[in-house]
Amino acid sequence: MHTLVFLSTRQVLQCQPAACQALPLLPRELFPLLFKVAFMDKKTVVLRELVHTWPFPLLSFQQLLQECAHCSRALLQERPSTESMQAVILGLTARLHTPEPGASTQPLCRKHALRVLDMTGLLDDGVEQDPGTMSMWDCTAAVARTCIAQQQGGATEPGPAPVPVEVRVDLRVNRASYAFLREALRSSVGSPLRLCCRDLRAEDLPMRNTVALLQLLDAGCLRRVDLRFNNLGLRGLSVIIPHVARFQHLASLRLHYVHGDSRQPSVDGEDNFRYFLAQMGRFTCLRELSMGSSLLSGRLDQLLSTLQSPLESLELAFCALLPEDLRFLARSPHAAHLKKLDLSGNDLSGSQLAPFQGLLQASAATLLHLELTECQLADTQLLATLPILTRCASLRYLGLYGNPLSMAGLKELLRDSAAQAELRTVVHPFPVDCYEGLPWPPPASVLLEASINEEKFARVEAELHQLLLASGRAHVLWTTDIYGRLGCRLLQPMMK
């Protein structure tokens, strides 16, 4: 539903030249809604002029593009329009090339107050790009080009120099874009346009390039670091981690493949691990930690004990966890604060089941997102865990893909989860009933690669759908989409 103010604003923007002429006469309190409507409806001429003449010190996408009292549409949950994003950047460029109005012009021309343009928080779902929308990679490139052009262009119109604008962005970089982004960061030093990275994702970068990039980032600005597909090992990590640890406000850290190098003497590996732990102890604001595909067997206590504050998100996928690791986590201060827990790829079917249940019990009051993909959970283990699982009253997302569950087990889960009013997404496996000739217990690789009987699965889907309808839960998504995109969108604001 839209309010009368929203509908009136949309009508005003129908004629863009007239709307631009009227902007100096409109109350500044209308500018936030004007921006949202212009961004939504791709009124690019007005959008550019709004950024050019923005009357507040801060223009924040996270504030302006969320659900509001006038419009329930949350644009942050959608891929941004290419036209709208380009208009914002053009408005910023115009702002930087316009001198600050003097005192004598103030009655006729609203003072340009913009000091910070915060473009962080846009949806980055990894879905194949629609030609009409802009991916995070494209956003990074567009802002970087603006920084470089600003430095190369140099001079502005005669008169007072423009007041600098800090542009906060989420940056994505890989081998192909590294040199370009490095040049942009260097160009922004001392420029009227100061590039400030809040969220850095570096994919498959060589160690030296990763270090060079980290050295160019503002230590007071960065909040998240995600080093993907970088098989660093402990030796490489010991080189990079001190450069990461200087970001004292870092809230989220994602590392992968943290394990010893068989080519190193074990004493060096232990020294590197101790050094890594010492650097991890420097973080004072860390709330999210992901250590996917790292060999942490029997070492989780060493890692988590170094942290200065409890985690709210912990991802330990494919970390070969032992029962003592799960028992330690259940007793640690982290358990009672966890909102997201990912134990995918860890076998929870044997001696790990009881410690896992203890961990689930300890985190039941806060848990929103639970990922248990490929954990070898069959019906027996699931049914034994259901009484504890259903105590997670705030749970929104449950991932069970790749587990050897039958249709009977899924139906039990569906019935018992009726008590979880917040649950919105369940990513479930193809039931073992839908395969032909499975070995037992079936390895996860077989469940992921073997063919299923499409007719049987169609009947399963229909029955699950009917059960959801009968229990008044048509709004809950039960899917075999391993990416669980809806679940990801629901949980994006969780750690803001």
Side-chain angles (χ1 to χ4, degrees):
M1 295 294 292
H2 296 149
T3 64
L4 183 59
V5 175
F6 177 91
L7 296 174
S8 300
T9 301
R10 175 170 271 176
Q11 189 62 37
V12 166
L13 298 187
Q14 290 305 307
C15 180
Q16 294 194 73
C20 290
Q21 289 181 347
L23 285 181
L25 306 176
L26 295 176
R28 17 184 277 155
E29 290 75 18
L30 285 178
F31 271 60
L33 185 57
L34 286 165
F35 184 90
K36 182 174 183 178
V37 175
F39 196 97
M40 180 189 304
D41 293 347
K42 302 175 188 176
K43 300 297 183 182
T44 55
V45 176
V46 175
L47 196 56
R48 175 178 173 175
E49 190 62 20
L50 281 168
V51 177
H52 183 199
T53 60
W54 193 250
F56 305 103
L58 172 66
L59 193 163
S60 168
F61 279 20
Q62 293 195 51
Q63 292 180 8
L64 299 173
L65 302 182
Q66 63 181 342
E67 181 178 347
C68 68
H70 299 290
C71 172
S72 60
R73 187 170 170 185
L75 296 176
L76 283 176
Q77 299 299 311
E78 306 172 18
R79 291 283 286 272
S81 156
T82 299
E83 294 177 58
S84 295
M85 290 296 293
Q86 289 174 341
V88 170
I89 292 171
L90 287 173
L92 174 64
T93 303
R95 167 70 184 85
L96 293 170
H97 287 82
T98 303
E100 190 74 6
S104 61
T105 65
Q106 287 303 305
L108 300 176
C109 180
R110 193 193 309 269
K111 179 172 178 169
H112 298 164
L114 184 63
R115 298 296 179 267
V116 177
L117 172 59
D118 189 341
M119 301 172 69
T120 62
L122 294 172
L123 178 66
D124 185 22
D125 57 6
V127 179
E128 190 67 25
Q129 184 182 356
D130 180 319
T133 63
M134 186 173 278
S135 71
M136 195 60 69
W137 296 98
D138 295 327
C139 292
T140 295
V143 174
R145 279 194 295 269
T146 304
C147 287
I148 294 171
Q150 174 64 30
Q151 183 66 19
Q152 292 174 346
T156 61
E157 296 179 11
V163 175
V165 176
E166 177 182 293
V167 181
R168 298 174 183 169
V169 289
D170 298 330
L171 297 180
R172 305 293 179 261
V173 58
N174 55 21
R175 288 175 183 260
S177 62
Y178 163 73
F180 177 59
L181 184 56
R182 181 186 60 183
E183 182 183 356
L185 288 166
R186 287 176 173 172
S187 297
S188 76
V189 177
S191 167
L193 192 160
R194 178 171 170 262
L195 195 59
C196 182
C197 176
R198 302 279 288 190
D199 182 341
L200 173 69
R201 189 173 82 197
E203 295 190 2
D204 199 26
L205 277 188
M207 182 172 60
R208 65 181 182 278
N209 290 358
T210 303
V211 170
L213 198 63
L214 290 169
Q215 290 174 333
L216 288 170
L217 300 179
D218 188 328
C221 196
L222 195 66
R223 295 295 182 271
R224 297 173 183 240
V225 170
D226 183 352
L227 304 182
R228 298 192 177 194
F229 318 125
N230 297 296
N231 194 348
L232 298 171
L234 283 171
R235 181 167 50 184
L237 193 61
S238 66
V239 174
I240 288 177
I241 194 64
H243 297 280
V244 178
R246 76 183 181 90
F247 300 105
Q248 290 299 300
H249 300 292
L250 197 72
S252 176
L253 177 61
R254 297 178 63 89
L255 303 169
H256 303 278
Y257 305 107
V258 179
H259 48 72
D261 189 336
S262 59
R263 296 167 295 181
Q264 288 182 284
S266 59
V267 63
D268 291 343
E270 288 302 313
D271 287 345
N272 286 332
F273 188 66
R274 282 193 293 270
Y275 181 71
F276 167 67
L277 294 178
Q279 296 298 312
M280 290 294 292
R282 293 173 57 187
F283 296 113
T284 58
C285 300
L286 198 65
R287 294 293 180 270
E288 302 177 355
L289 179 62
S290 176
M291 300 288 293
S293 300
S294 300
L295 186 58
L296 295 177
S297 304
R299 289 188 157 188
L300 194 60
D301 60 336
Q302 295 174 268
L303 173 62
L304 298 183
S305 296
T306 64
L307 303 180
Q308 295 193 32
S309 54
L311 295 171
E312 295 181 7
S313 175
L314 180 59
E315 299 179 32
L316 299 170
F318 299 94
C319 287
L321 298 180
L322 300 176
E324 52 263 38
D325 295 314
L326 297 173
R327 279 192 287 267
F328 170 81
L329 181 54
R331 296 192 302 265
S332 74
H334 303 284
H337 293 82
L338 287 176
K339 296 180 180 178
K340 179 177 182 179
L341 177 63
D342 185 352
L343 297 176
S344 297
N346 294 285
D347 187 349
L348 302 178
S349 64
S351 58
Q352 286 95 332
L353 182 62
F356 163 65
Q357 291 171 341
L359 171 58
L360 200 57
Q361 178 69 50
S363 57
T366 56
L367 205 58
L368 303 178
H369 183 122
L370 180 61
E371 188 67 72
L372 301 172
T373 296
E374 296 183 45
C375 288
Q376 292 297 309
L377 293 171
D379 289 359
T380 303
Q381 290 82 26
L382 178 64
L383 295 179
T385 306
L386 275 179
I388 303 172
L389 180 61
T390 53
R391 292 176 196 164
C392 300
S394 301
L395 195 68
R396 301 179 194 171
Y397 177 96
L398 176 62
L400 290 169
Y401 193 84
N403 288 289
L405 298 173
S406 71
M407 181 56 182
L410 291 179
K411 288 164 69 175
E412 285 290 332
L413 172 62
L414 191 149
R415 280 192 289 264
D416 286 10
S417 64
Q420 295 170 293
E422 299 300 318
L423 190 62
R424 293 294 180 270
T425 306
V426 177
V427 181
H428 64 86
F430 295 101
V432 292
D433 318 59
C434 297
Y435 294 88
E436 302 291 345
L438 275 181
W440 197 264
S445 58
V446 173
L447 291 175
L448 297 177
E449 297 172 8
S451 299
I452 65 165
N453 185 309
E454 297 289 349
E455 290 185 9
K456 287 184 178 180
F457 182 63
R459 290 195 294 270
V460 165
E461 281 192 308
E463 187 172 356
L464 291 175
H465 181 65
Q466 287 302 316
L467 289 171
L468 286 171
L469 289 177
S471 61
R473 289 182 289 158
H475 62 284
V476 181
L477 174 67
W478 276 60
T479 178
T480 53
D481 176 8
I482 192 170
Y483 299 104
R485 300 198 193 284
L486 178 59
C488 293
R489 294 188 184 192
L490 284 169
L491 288 159
Q492 270 197 338
M494 183 179 76
M495 306 301 294
K496 299 296 184 188

